[in-house]
C-alpha cells in the first residue's frame, strides 16, 4: 500500500558500476504543473543507463520541507547532494527568520549555489513545486544557474512525449482527479515511447496544507488501461 502522507515512498535499491568502457545514457521522465488546487509532481521510478538499469525503484521526487518538493533529473549523486544542501540552507533560514522561505527564494538560492560550478560537469535539472504565501508556485532550475517560473515543466529524456499529453489536456481550473489523471497519463505515455523511462509512476500533490504522496502505479499496467479506455 501507499505510505502515509508526509512519508517518502522511496524504496531501497541496489546499483552496481557498469563495466569498463560502458557509456552511460541517462534517462527519465519527470513533470510538474501548477493548477487551482496546488502543484502536481510526477515521475517514473526507473534509473536507466542505456540497457543497464541502475535501480528499478529510484525516487525522483524529493521532499524539501512540508510545503516544498522537487523533481530530479540528471546525475543522481549531484541531485541528491544539492537537495541535501538546499534542505540545510532552508532550515537555517527558517531558524533565523522564523518562517519558511518562499518557493521563489528557494529556487533563487539553489540557482545561485549551483551556478558557481558552471562548466564543471554538474548535472541537475529540477522543478521546485511548492505552496507559499503567494499560493501554488512552480520553478524550473538547472545547474548552470537557469531559473524559470511557469505553469508546466517536464524534464528528462521522456519529456517530449510528456509535453505532448500535457499541452493537450492541461488547464488551470482542473479538479484534483483531472489533474491526477493527466499526470499519470503523461508519464505512462512517455515511459511507453522512451526507452530510458519506465517502472512505476509516482504522483505527488502539494496543497496549502503540505505535500502528499498520492499514488504509485505500475507504468505498463497504467498504459494498457489508458489505451483500452481510449476512444
Amino acid at each position: 500500500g501507499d505510505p502515509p502522507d508526509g512519508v517518502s515512498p522511496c524504496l531501497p535499491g541496489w546499483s552496481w558500476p557498469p563495466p569498463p568502457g560502458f557509456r552511460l545514457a541517462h534517462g527519465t521522465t519527470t513533470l510538474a504543473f501548477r493548477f487551482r488546487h496546488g502543484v502536481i509532481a510526477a515521475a517514473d521510478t526507473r534509473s536507466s543507463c542505456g540497457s543497464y538499469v541502475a535501480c528499478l525503484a529510484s525516487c525522483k521526487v524529493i521532499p524539501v520541507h512540508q510545503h516544498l518538493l522537487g523533481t530530479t533529473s540528471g546525475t543522481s549523486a549531484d541531485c541528491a547532494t544539492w537537495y541535501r544542501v538546499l534542505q540545510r540552507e532552508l532550515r537555517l533560514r527558517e531558524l533565523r527568520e522564523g518562517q519558511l522561505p518562499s518557493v521563489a527564494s528557494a529556487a533563487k538560492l539553489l540557482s545561485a549555489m549551483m551556478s558557481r560550478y558552471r562548466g564543471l560537469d554538474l548535472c541537475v535539472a529540477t522543478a521546485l513545486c511548492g505552496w507559499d504565501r503567494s499560493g501554488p508556485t512552480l520553478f524550473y532550475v538547472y545547474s548552470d544557474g537557469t531559473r524559470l517560473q511557469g505553469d508546466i515543466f517536464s524534464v528528462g529524456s521522456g519529456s517530449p512525449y510528456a509535453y505532448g499529453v500535457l499541452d493537450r489536456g492541461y488547464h488551470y481550473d482542473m479538479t484534483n482527479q483531472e489533474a491526477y489523471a493527466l499526470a499519470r497519463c503523461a508519464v505512462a505515455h512517455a515511459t511507453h515511447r522512451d526507452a530510458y523511462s519506465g517502472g512505476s509512476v509516482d504522483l505527488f500533490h502539494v496543497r496549502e496544507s503540505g505535500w502528499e504522496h498520492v499514488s504509485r502505479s505500475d507504468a505498463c499496467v497504467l498504459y494498457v488501461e489508458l489505451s483500452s479506455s481510449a476512444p
Side-chain angles (χ1 to χ4, degrees), residues 6-43:
V7 177
S8 174
C10 298
L11 301 177
W14 294 91
S15 61
W16 296 268
F22 190 94
R23 183 172 180 81
L24 300 183
H26 301 281
T28 188
T29 301
T30 69
L31 63 85
F33 59 83
R34 189 177 73 96
F35 73 121
R36 179 175 298 279
H37 302 291
V39 184
I40 298 296

Side-chain angles (χ1 to χ4, degrees), residues 22 38 100 140 173 175-176 208 215 229:
F22 190 94
L100 289 170
Y140 167 78
D173 292 322
T175 65
N176 287 338
E208 185 175 7
S215 65
S229 62

Side-chain angles (χ1 to χ4, degrees), residues 20 23 47 49 60 77 94 106 109 130 137 155 162 170 206-207 223 228:
R23 183 172 180 81
S47 290
C49 308
K60 300 174 186 176
E94 181 186 9
L109 175 62
T137 309
V155 187
Y170 172 81
V206 186
R207 306 171 183 264
Y223 179 79
S228 62

Side-chain angles (χ1 to χ4, degrees), residues 59-80:
C59 190
K60 300 174 186 176
V61 182
I62 299 180
V64 179
H65 60 64
Q66 183 180 355
H67 293 85
L68 179 66
L69 47 77
T71 65
T72 62
S73 180
T75 304
S76 296
D78 290 345
C79 292

Side-chain angles (χ1 to χ4, degrees), residues 1-10 213 216:
D2 292 329
D5 294 348
V7 177
S8 174
C10 298
H213 179 238
R216 170 172 280 185

Side-chain angles (χ1 to χ4, degrees), residues 97-219:
E97 300 170 6
Q99 60 183 11
L100 289 170
S102 66
V103 182
S105 295
K108 184 176 182 179
L109 175 62
L110 182 60
S111 171
M113 291 190 298
M114 291 195 299
S115 65
R116 302 170 192 166
Y117 298 88
R118 186 186 292 117
L120 297 179
D121 292 329
L122 179 65
C123 186
V124 178
T126 180
L128 287 175
C129 317
W131 190 300
D132 55 25
R133 292 178 294 278
S134 63
T137 309
L138 177 61
F139 276 86
Y140 167 78
V141 180
Y142 187 59
S143 46
D144 65 358
T146 299
R147 174 170 51 96
L148 302 171
Q149 186 173 8
D151 290 331
I152 304 174
F153 292 112
S154 182
V155 187
S157 57
S159 60
Y161 309 107
Y163 270 126
V165 176
L166 292 171
D167 288 343
R168 182 183 61 194
Y170 172 81
H171 61 92
Y172 184 77
D173 292 322
M174 287 183 290
T175 65
N176 287 338
Q177 293 306 316
E178 287 174 336
Y180 297 165
L182 178 62
R184 291 190 185 107
C185 181
V187 178
H189 278 79
T191 60
H192 179 72
R193 295 294 180 185
D194 177 40
Y196 302 121
S197 301
S200 299
V201 180
D202 266 336
L203 179 63
F204 289 77
H205 185 179
V206 186
R207 306 171 183 264
E208 185 175 7
S209 57
W211 66 265
E212 65 172 307
H213 179 238
V214 177
S215 65
R216 170 172 280 185
S217 310
D218 183 279

